[in-house]
Amino acid sequence: MRPISDYHMHTPLCGHATGEPAEYARHAVKMGLSEIGFSDHAPLVAYFDPKVSMRLDQLPLYYRMIEKAQTEFKPQLTIKVGIEADFIPGYENKTKEILADYPYDYVIGSVHFIDDWGFDNPEERKKWEKENIDKVYRKYYELLRRSAQSGLFDIMAHVDLVKKFGHRSTESMAEEVKKTAKVFKECGVAVEINTSGLRKPVKEMYPEKSLLQIYQQAGVPLAFGSDAHDPLDVGKDFDKAYALAREVGYGEYVLFKKRKIERKIKI
Ligand code: ZN
Ligand code: FE
Ligand code: FE
Ligand code: ZN
């Protein structure tokens, strides 16, 4: 068994993904999915890097590209319009303005930066050697909570991304994660199972099982995403993601439309 929807995939506009939306859609159909959503990296608010996100003036092109694919694949495949936006403290209003530009079906929130350090960027990996890993983990969870509290996002992405290169905290983060799950629940934010971790040095699902269990127990809604930056990664390892959701006790996952939960699907 596998989920019917994949809500996390990119387009070449972000500068580090390949393949046109139609190619992602075609692969989705091949994988047996009936719904996908694009969630490319929104223009970075604090600075601009053409290898990290699209430019502000490319947003209209982004919508056009997806709308073209929507027309082409109707009614075989439902294609939602989402976006993945970074949480950068101090830039909430600017982020809000960008997100108000289009009636998105959902907005995925991501923490890829701690202060101005892109901690998951391979080019900034060296900085890990100078950091106290436990402190980095605590700061990361604090930022996840503030992301949810900002009200900017509907789904939080890859909620243990700090482990990407295999850096492990020495102290248990269970209390941090419990606090985070509680905040997600209170703020009405969903969590995703993101299969891209399996393709990264850590070779684990985001989040790993014991953490996902905490979100399940807190009653946080669930969504599925492959974080594909290549059409062939759409729906990748979704059988494993589904099994994981089931193992921790999730009985359903959610679909979004116009930034509201549209439908719940039984697991
Ligand atoms: Zn990316
Ligand atoms: Fe991300
Ligand atoms: Fe992504
Ligand atoms: Zn992502």
Side-chain angles (χ1 to χ4, degrees), residues 8 10 14 16-17 40-41 51-52 84 112 227 229:
H8 197 148
H10 293 267
C14 66
H16 61 274
D40 206 4
H41 299 284
K51 291 209 303 274
V52 174
E84 175 177 7
H112 299 112
D227 214 342
H229 286 69

Side-chain angles (χ1 to χ4, degrees), residues 70-85:
Q70 281 176 329
T71 313
E72 191 183 334
F73 283 85
K74 209 187 256 178
Q76 204 180 6
L77 180 70
T78 301
I79 302 180
K80 298 279 171 72
V81 187
I83 196 155
E84 175 177 7

